[in-house]
């Protein structure tokens, strides 16, 4: 079948997601009328997903440097030095659009893609994390999406054989038509054994490895660069299908091949498949690339050059090999039962040439495909600040203990055990802290070092005040790592926003980035990798701005770390940090009072650092027996979680005068932790806090009785709180459709 | 003790079980599925957890027909030891070395959690370091661990005392509530007729370290070393 290629019309250009201006620019670059295949290639390279055309301008200023950063943004994943000759390789990426259309496959390929990014660099994946946002629980599609996404995340990671150790799950009506599936992978490599995408040497073979190319996923990246409408279900054919088994084989074959020294450059085929990977390898190496598509292993017959260049079939890699080692490399791939085909070679022409069946289907300047991609300075509106809500004006509709019980059973605060028990979080035998804590801890090899890992963002804060919300997302990540005793080292960001062509959405993006940037600088917490997902809108309604932050910290000795469960009765419960009773944008305000309003809690980064350093010191000195950071739901929710996790109760003093009791217990002031210490250590810890200028308040003591008691407010049994906390999600998921 | 851990395409707990064996003092060799023999002098053949061949057919069905499985069958027929964990248990059932079959979990979801097991007898090569009736705290991580056998087979397994472990609560009580996947009679592991082949769904190899959950899984590997 040699169908004549379609003639390029303005309509066809528009279908490829290019504006008339962008097409004119491309035509000038080519110097003639482009071919159909070339139009496909440029649509893949210049869409929002691949070119970052709306976001690039604003990403430039982000802090990406630190002495321990080996590789910042721009490669498959970021890399940091963790000592002992080892490097930690990690990145987070979204798979939002596909997951909404086909939740199981969308989620699996999201996990598969990010794992590939990590092992492409020579690292063996040691942990996976995720951050999921769904629509309102009562929305008719939500249950189906939760079931599919969770099964998909688990289905891929479990089979691939990486523990899924942490994550977050949230619900809000603003995600009804556009869920978020952000997946993060973390790997360990030898610092002197890292592989990059830049091709080197003229005339070296370009080798295609892994699974065969099919017609799945064509225009996937273009789909991810547009809003959804009521017909989005029709885009199901653009969703790829994941094969974790093939990826596991690809992992083992790649790592084995890398050991031989035969690999000069390697790039996985992710978004826009063969096109993006080949262009990137050539452009980064300052070389040209010539591909012969007749050699590409295909799953289907009669695939055209256009289809092969745009396929997003999964579990594929492109490598530049040392020609002297080609036979050795091929033997390794054959052993693992994977395809191995020489599909081209490097050239010194700086051109990207694609041949198929004796014809030149594309001949483009390689560097310009990336460098000359459109760059937009989109207009943006300064977000309107929300008024600060005076807690004195918020009446408490129910008693604090009743509010606590209800809060623990709300969708955002309820236990997510139903989710993480579907993820194998124990494989590899190094999960020192399993899901359910502030951050996961994964031991590196036989220890004593470990990684502290978490993903965080509070979208409602970002919506109310993007700068404060961006700051808070980074600060909370830093705090969660600190709360387990880790030293925060670096982050990856996954920026999920609506349509950037709307100045209000662009304003959220710019504001969040400013906040993220400030926090990264203040906390010495650089961004080493990331991903931008825009156009998260359906029928004109955008998601809450959701800049998910994935953080990595180092635990010097995993035998010295903190968990949130109370350890024994009779210990002092201390609150680290200042409590003004900030109810604006709190979960209490939304769930108990029924209002979503006010400015979010401010984040003082200097205080954040001071309080966190103090708490980490308590953990490393072995003074703290339990530690929990305070976030959604505030103080009483945190204390309840510590009690529920241990079965040990607590007796708390009454809230101090000057703050309404419900604001004290449920306010979401930042930079706070609850810590338990032995009674004998209270004086020393108090003196140390004073010396460090850290506010410390004694809240009460852990208790023999399995109940939570507040002086003057009564008592509630842990059994009741536990039941409420655990019931919501399984009950919800088992309801008939 | 010389142990051979067999690697199928898609095995993923091979490293975990190898570590547990080495910790207990075994020397471990990894054997490729396409090999047709086990290393000379192999005392114990281990089929590790994972998703051999992606579990795209029935779990374990393709691996049961791998070249190396003939060698494993001969090894077992000679009375030597075979241990199959999780996917390895599924492969043993599919290859006819153990009775029964592992169906999809009753709750339909994959389950990963800590789980107590009751040790049914401690006079086998796999359990001599445990007490009879002891409740051990190990891990489970499977989607298809629901042990099923026809009535006659089940009666025979029970009559021969070939149940190795049952899902139990912390106190060792075998209750419906403690059954995570719907297995008949809470069966978590079974022996062959000669008690030289053991298949079990749970992962003792992930509970060998105080820092990572506990050490109740060590007993199984230490028992083998004492064999």
């Amino acid at each position: 079948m040699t169908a004549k290629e379609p003639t390029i019309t303005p309509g066809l250009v528009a279908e490829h997601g290019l504006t008339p201006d962008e097409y004119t620019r491309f035509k000038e670059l080519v110097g003639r009328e482009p071919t159909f295949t070339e139009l496909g290639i440029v649509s893949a390279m210049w869409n929002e997903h691949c070119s970052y055309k709306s976001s690039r301008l604003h990403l430039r200023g982000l802090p990406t440097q630190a002495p321990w950063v080996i590789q910042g943004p721009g490669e498959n994943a970021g890399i940091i030095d963790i000592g002992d000759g080892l490097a930690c390789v990690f990145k987070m990426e979204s798979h939002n659009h596909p997951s909404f259309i086909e939740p199981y496959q969308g989620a699996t390929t999201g996990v598969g893609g990010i794992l590939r990014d990590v092992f492409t660099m020579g690292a063996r994946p040691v942990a996976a994390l995720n951050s999921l946002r769904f629509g309102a629980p009562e929305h008719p599609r939500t249950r189906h999406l939760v079931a599919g996404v969770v099964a998909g995340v688990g289905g891929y990671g479990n089979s691939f054989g990486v523990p899924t150790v942490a994550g977050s799950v949230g619900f809000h009506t603003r995600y009804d038509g556009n869920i978020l599936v952000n997946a993060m992978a973390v790997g360990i490599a030898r610092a002197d054994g890292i592989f990059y995408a830049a091709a080197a040497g003229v005339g070296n073979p370009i080798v295609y490895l892994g699974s065969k190319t099919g017609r799945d996923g064509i225009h996937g990246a273009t789909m991810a660069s547009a809003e959804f409408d009521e017909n989005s279900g029709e885009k199901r054919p653009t969703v790829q299908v994941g094969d974790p088994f093939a990826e596991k084989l690809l992992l083992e074959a790649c790592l084995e091949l890398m050991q031989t020294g035969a690999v000069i450059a390697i790039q996985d085929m992710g978004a826009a498949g063969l096109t993006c990977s080949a262009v990137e390898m050539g452009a980064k190496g300052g070389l040209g690339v010539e591909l012969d598509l007749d050699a590409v292993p295909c799953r289907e017959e009669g695939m055209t050059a256009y289809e092969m260049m745009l396929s997003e079939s999964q579990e594929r890699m492109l490598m530049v090999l040392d020609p002297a080692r080609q036979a050795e490399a091929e033997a390794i791939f054959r052993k693992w039962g994977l395809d191995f085909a020489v599909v081209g070679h490097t050239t010194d022409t700086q051109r990207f040439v694609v041949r198929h069946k004796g014809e030149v289907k594309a001949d483009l300047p390689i560097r310009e495909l990336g460098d000359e991609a459109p760059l937009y300075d989109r207009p943006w509106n300064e977000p309107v600040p929300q008024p600060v809500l005076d807690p004195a004006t918020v009446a408490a509709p129910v008693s604090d203990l009743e509010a606590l019980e209800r809060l623990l059973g709300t969708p955002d605060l309820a236990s997510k055990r139903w989710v993480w028990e579907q993820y194998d979080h124990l494989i590899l035998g190094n999960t020192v802290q399993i899901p359910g804590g502030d951050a996961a801890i994964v031991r590196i090899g036989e220890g004593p070092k470990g990684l502290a890992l978490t993903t965080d963002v509070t979208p409602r804060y970002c919506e109310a005040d993007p700068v404060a919300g961006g700051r808070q997302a980074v600060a909370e990540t830093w705090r969660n790592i600190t709360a387990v005793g880790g030293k925060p080292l670096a982050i990856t960001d996954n920026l999920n926003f609506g349509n950037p062509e709307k100045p209000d959405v662009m304003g959220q993006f710019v504001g969040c980035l400013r906040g993220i940037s400030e926090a990264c600088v203040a906390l010495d917490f650089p961004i080493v990798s990331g991903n931008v997902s825009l156009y998260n809108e359906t029928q004109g309604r955008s998601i809450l701005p959701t800049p998910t932050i994935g953080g990595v910290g180092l635990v010097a000795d995993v035998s010295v770390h903190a968990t949130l469960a109370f350890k024994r009765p009779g210990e002092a419960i201390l609150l680290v940090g200042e409590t003004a009773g900030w109810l604006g944008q709190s979960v209490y305000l939304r769930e108990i009072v029924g209002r979503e309003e006010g400015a979010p809690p401010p984040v003082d980064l200097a205080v954040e650092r001071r309080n966190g350093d103090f708490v980490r010191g308590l953990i490393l000195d072995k003074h703290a027996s339990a530690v929990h950071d305070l976030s959604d739901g505030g103080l009483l929710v945190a204390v309840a979680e510590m009690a529920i996790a241990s079965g040990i109760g607590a007796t708390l003093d009454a809230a101090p005068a000057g703050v309404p009791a419900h604001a004290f217990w449920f306010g979401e002031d930042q930079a706070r932790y609850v810590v338990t210490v032995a009674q004998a250590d209270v004086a020393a810890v108090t003196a140390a806090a004073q010396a460090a200028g850290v506010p410390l308040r004694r809240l009460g003591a852990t208790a023999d009785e399995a109940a939570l008691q507040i002086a003057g407010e009564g008592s509630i049994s842990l059994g009741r709180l536990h039941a409420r906390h655990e019931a919501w999600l399984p009950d919800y998921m088992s309801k008939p459709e | 003790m010389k142990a051979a851990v067999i690697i199928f395409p898609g095995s993923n707990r091979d490293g975990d079980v190898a570590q547990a064996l080495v910790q207990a003092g075994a020397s471990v060799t990894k054997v490729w599925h396409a090999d047709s023999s086990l290393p000379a002098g192999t005392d114990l053949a281990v089929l590790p957890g994972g998703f051999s061949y992606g579990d795209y057919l029935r779990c374990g069905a393709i691996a049961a027909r791998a070249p190396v499985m003939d060698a494993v069958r001969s090894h077992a027929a000679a009375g030597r030891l075979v241990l199959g964990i999780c996917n390895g248990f599924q492969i043993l059932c599919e290859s006819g070395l153990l009775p029964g079959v592992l169906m999809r979990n009753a709750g339909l979801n994959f389950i990963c959690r800590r789980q107590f097991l009751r040790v049914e007898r401690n006079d086998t090569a796999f359990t001599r370091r445990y007490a009879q009736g002891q409740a051990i705290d190990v891990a489970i991580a499977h989607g298809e661990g629901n042990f099923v056998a026809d009535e006659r087979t089940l009666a025979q397994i029970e009559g021969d005392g070939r149940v190795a472990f049952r899902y139990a609560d912390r106190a060792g009580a075998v209750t419906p509530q403690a059954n995570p996947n719907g297995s008949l009679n809470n069966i978590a592991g079974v022996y062959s007729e000669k008690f030289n082949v053991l298949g079990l769904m749970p992962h003792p190899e992930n509970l060998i370290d105080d820092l990572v959950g506990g050490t109740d899984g060590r007993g199984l590997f230490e028992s083998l070393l004492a064999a």
Side-chain angles (χ1 to χ4, degrees):
Chain A
M1 185 182 90
T2 47
K4 197 172 159 308
E5 293 198 331
T7 316
I8 295 173
T9 62
L12 193 64
V13 169
E15 274 175 40
H16 281 75
L18 293 176
T19 66
D21 283 351
E22 288 171 348
Y23 183 68
T24 306
R25 182 192 178 95
F26 178 58
K27 209 159 86 174
E28 282 166 11
L29 211 61
V30 183
R32 58 176 159 73
E33 198 66 40
T35 66
F36 180 56
T37 304
E38 288 172 339
L39 175 65
I41 289 172
V42 76
S43 81
M45 294 295 299
W46 286 10
N47 63 48
E48 187 68 55
H49 188 80
C50 293
S51 75
Y52 294 89
K53 60 192 169 192
S54 303
S55 61
R56 230 154 73 220
L57 189 67
H58 302 280
L59 298 173
R60 282 178 184 161
L62 291 174
T64 60
Q65 300 292 319
W68 53 90
V69 174
I70 296 174
Q71 175 65 53
E75 277 286 343
N76 282 305
I79 308 177
I80 55 173
D81 186 343
I82 52 169
D84 303 331
L86 296 177
C88 176
V89 180
F90 65 99
K91 190 185 181 185
M92 181 160 40
E93 207 161 74
S94 62
H95 231 215
N96 305 335
H97 293 86
S99 299
F100 181 73
I101 295 173
E102 172 53 59
Y104 186 91
Q105 294 300 344
T108 60
T109 49
V111 173
I114 199 65
L115 286 167
R116 217 153 47 240
D117 278 336
V118 163
F119 72 77
T120 299
M121 304 205 74
R124 181 173 281 279
V126 296
L129 298 88
N130 57 73
S131 178
L132 312 176
R133 290 291 182 282
F134 298 100
E138 53 278 10
H139 188 274
R141 286 202 63 175
T142 300
R143 192 178 288 105
H144 157 75
L145 291 168
V146 172
V149 166
V150 170
V153 168
Y156 207 97
N158 298 347
S159 176
F160 179 83
V162 65
T164 300
V165 296
S168 61
V169 181
F171 298 85
H172 196 279
T173 185
R174 292 274 294 279
Y175 303 103
D176 283 351
N178 208 307
I179 63 171
L180 301 185
V181 174
N182 294 176
M184 174 171 165
V186 183
I188 298 289
R190 293 200 47 79
D192 60 2
I194 292 165
F195 290 81
Y196 294 96
V202 173
N204 281 335
I206 295 177
V207 179
Y208 171 115
L209 307 155
S211 299
K212 294 186 197 308
T213 296
R215 290 193 168 96
D216 51 334
I218 291 174
H219 287 306
T222 311
M223 168 185 76
S225 306
E227 285 183 36
F228 278 159
D229 55 26
E230 68 278 9
N231 299 321
S232 56
E234 291 171 8
K235 295 189 174 174
R236 195 161 291 120
T238 59
V239 178
Q240 316 89 315
V241 174
D243 179 357
F245 171 60
E247 179 124 318
K248 166 72 172 163
L249 304 182
L250 192 59
L251 162 78
E252 300 299 341
C254 283
L255 294 185
E256 194 173 329
L257 181 55
M258 286 166 172
Q259 292 285 324
T260 67
V263 180
I264 294 172
I266 175 168
Q267 174 71 35
D268 81 300
M269 295 192 223
L274 195 51
T275 293
C276 261
S277 54
V279 169
E280 205 153 313
M281 290 179 95
K284 281 188 173 155
L287 294 171
V289 164
E290 204 164 313
L291 294 181
D292 173 12
L293 298 185
D294 296 341
V296 170
C298 286
R299 204 162 55 211
E300 302 173 51
E301 282 182 23
M303 284 186 71
T304 64
Y306 177 92
E307 288 169 333
M308 280 189 240
M309 293 311 292
L310 294 188
S311 163
E312 290 191 6
S313 292
Q314 299 287 293
E315 292 90 22
R316 301 181 300 160
M317 290 272 186
L318 212 55
M319 283 187 191
V320 177
L321 287 182
D322 176 352
R325 317 292 289 275
Q326 197 177 312
E328 191 182 347
E330 179 162 3
I332 290 173
F333 268 74
R334 297 288 177 217
K335 177 184 119 186
W336 287 98
L338 294 166
D339 268 304
F340 178 102
V342 176
V343 295
H345 59 274
T346 53
T347 68
D348 59 1
T349 62
Q350 310 267 338
R351 304 286 295 181
F352 182 49
V353 179
V354 177
R355 293 176 197 280
H356 189 221
K357 296 185 173 168
E359 279 179 47
V360 173
K361 292 291 185 180
D363 185 352
L364 299 168
I366 202 161
R367 185 174 288 277
E368 286 75 3
L369 270 178
D371 290 355
E372 297 296 318
L375 174 65
Y376 295 122
D377 185 0
R378 303 228 186 249
W380 55 277
N381 294 338
E382 193 74 51
V384 183
Q386 302 289 308
V388 172
L389 192 66
D390 178 357
T393 66
V394 180
V398 297
S399 78
D400 291 334
L401 288 173
E402 189 185 336
L404 171 67
E405 190 182 354
R406 276 164 55 175
L407 283 172
L408 288 173
T410 55
D412 280 352
L413 298 183
S415 165
K416 300 302 181 300
R417 184 183 302 276
W418 182 90
V419 172
W420 54 257
E421 282 195 344
Q422 293 187 56
Y423 305 151
D424 190 337
H425 49 271
L426 299 172
I427 190 166
L428 304 185
N430 284 321
T431 314
V432 173
Q433 170 63 56
I434 66 165
D438 284 332
I441 299 177
V442 175
R443 183 174 54 189
I444 301 166
E446 289 174 8
K449 280 185 179 175
L451 299 172
L453 306 168
T454 177
T455 61
D456 296 284
V457 61
T458 313
R460 61 182 189 280
Y461 294 175
C462 297
E463 165 96 351
D465 180 343
V467 178
R471 250 189 236 144
Q472 195 272 346
V474 176
E476 169 140 22
T477 304
W478 189 88
R479 204 183 304 144
N480 277 322
I481 291 170
T482 295
V484 299
K487 178 182 173 5
L489 288 181
I491 63 171
T492 177
D493 60 353
N494 197 153
L495 308 168
N496 309 276
F497 291 83
N499 182 345
E501 294 161 42
K502 293 181 179 170
D504 284 343
V505 170
M506 204 57 209
Q508 293 173 339
F509 183 77
V510 172
C512 282
L513 274 189
R514 195 192 307 156
I516 288 169
S517 218
E518 289 171 5
C520 290
V521 169
L523 300 171
D524 267 339
F525 206 25
I527 300 169
V528 297
S529 58
N531 166 244
V532 180
S533 173
L534 302 176
Y535 296 96
N536 288 291
E537 300 214 4
T538 296
Q539 290 167 321
R541 193 160 84 140
S542 76
I543 58 161
L544 292 176
T546 312
T548 312
I549 305 297
V552 174
L554 188 65
V555 179
D557 176 355
V558 289
S559 69
V560 184
H561 72 273
T563 61
L564 60 81
F566 288 145
K567 298 302 177 301
R568 55 194 74 83
E571 292 197 319
I573 304 173
L574 307 176
L575 171 64
V576 175
E578 203 72 65
T579 303
W582 194 280
L583 287 178
Q585 296 299 336
S586 64
V587 178
Y588 179 91
L589 188 72
R590 185 182 73 198
E591 298 289 344
I592 304 297
V593 187
R595 289 158 60 183
E596 289 186 66
E597 60 180 81
V603 179
D604 183 325
L605 295 162
V607 169
E608 200 59 74
R609 188 166 182 148
R610 182 193 68 199
N611 294 0
D613 287 347
F614 174 73
V615 169
R616 194 179 316 103
L618 290 183
I619 297 168
L620 299 182
D621 293 345
K622 301 185 183 177
H623 278 116
S625 51
V627 177
H628 193 7
D629 103 294
L630 298 198
S631 56
D632 281 354
L635 176 55
L636 200 56
V637 167
V639 172
E641 287 169 346
M642 298 172 86
I644 291 169
S646 60
I648 295 169
T651 309
L652 303 175
D653 300 338
V659 183
H662 59 297
F664 179 74
W665 294 122
F666 302 110
E668 295 182 5
D669 307 75
Q670 298 292 298
R672 296 186 303 161
Y673 304 79
V674 174
V675 176
T676 57
V677 303
Q679 297 289 358
D681 289 341
V682 172
V685 168
T686 308
Q690 250 165 9
V694 171
L696 190 75
R697 178 184 180 84
R698 197 181 165 119
L699 290 172
T702 55
D704 282 311
E705 197 195 342
L708 207 59
Q709 189 186 330
I710 304 175
E713 297 203 43
S715 164
I716 188 165
S717 82
L718 293 191
R720 216 163 119 178
L721 293 178
H722 180 261
R724 192 71 176 248
H725 189 49
E726 290 295 341
W728 183 78
L729 191 48
D731 285 356
Y732 171 69
M733 291 309 296
S734 63
K735 273 181 201 155
E737 290 284 342
Chain B
M1 150 98 34
K2 287 181 71 174
V5 175
I6 294 165
I7 314 292
F8 298 96
S11 294
N12 62 22
R13 266 188 167 85
D14 43 307
D16 300 22
V17 75
Q19 198 188 345
L21 285 162
V22 167
Q23 185 193 59
S27 72
V28 175
T29 311
K30 296 204 172 182
V31 176
W32 188 237
H33 66 106
D35 291 356
S36 52
S37 63
L38 298 174
T42 296
D43 301 299
L44 169 71
V46 179
L47 311 183
F51 290 68
S52 55
Y53 299 92
D55 280 354
Y56 289 150
L57 193 58
R58 281 188 326 278
C59 301
I62 302 178
R65 287 148 182 85
V68 76
M69 286 307 294
D70 286 335
V72 172
R73 273 184 282 263
S74 310
H75 180 83
R80 289 196 284 269
L81 297 169
V82 178
L83 170 65
I85 301 175
C86 200
N87 193 227
F89 185 15
Q90 294 163 342
I91 296 168
L92 289 175
C93 292
E94 284 288 340
S95 60
L97 283 167
L98 289 176
V101 64
L102 284 313
M103 306 278 287
R104 186 129 184 234
N105 292 347
L108 303 183
N109 291 334
F110 186 96
I111 310 170
C112 176
R113 66 166 75 129
R114 298 278 286 283
Q115 171 72 46
F116 283 94
L117 306 178
R118 188 176 77 187
V119 179
E120 294 299 290
R121 55 194 296 171
N122 69 341
D123 58 351
T124 76
F126 301 89
T127 55
R128 66 189 79 199
R129 286 293 167 92
Y130 293 121
Q132 185 172 9
Q134 184 182 343
I136 59 169
D137 176 7
V138 294
I140 56 169
H142 58 248
E144 303 183 45
N146 181 356
F147 183 81
V148 174
D150 62 67
E151 246 174 74
R152 236 180 68 194
T153 309
L154 187 65
Q156 190 160 12
I157 295 170
E158 291 284 3
D160 293 349
R162 285 163 57 195
V163 177
F165 303 100
R166 292 185 209 271
Y167 299 110
D169 65 16
R170 177 181 299 274
V174 174
T175 65
Q177 294 76 33
N179 186 340
N181 54 27
S183 291
L184 287 174
N185 297 3
N186 283 40
I187 291 174
V190 295
Y191 294 110
S192 62
E193 281 173 40
K194 291 180 182 161
F195 294 90
N196 62 321
V197 179
L198 168 66
L200 76 166
M201 284 314 294
H203 293 286
E205 75 275 27
N206 284 138
L207 271 290
I208 56 164
D209 188 336
D210 273 323
L211 262 177
V212 189
T215 57
D216 278 8
R218 279 188 188 177
L220 188 137
F221 303 98
E222 288 170 356
S223 297
L224 284 164
L225 262 290

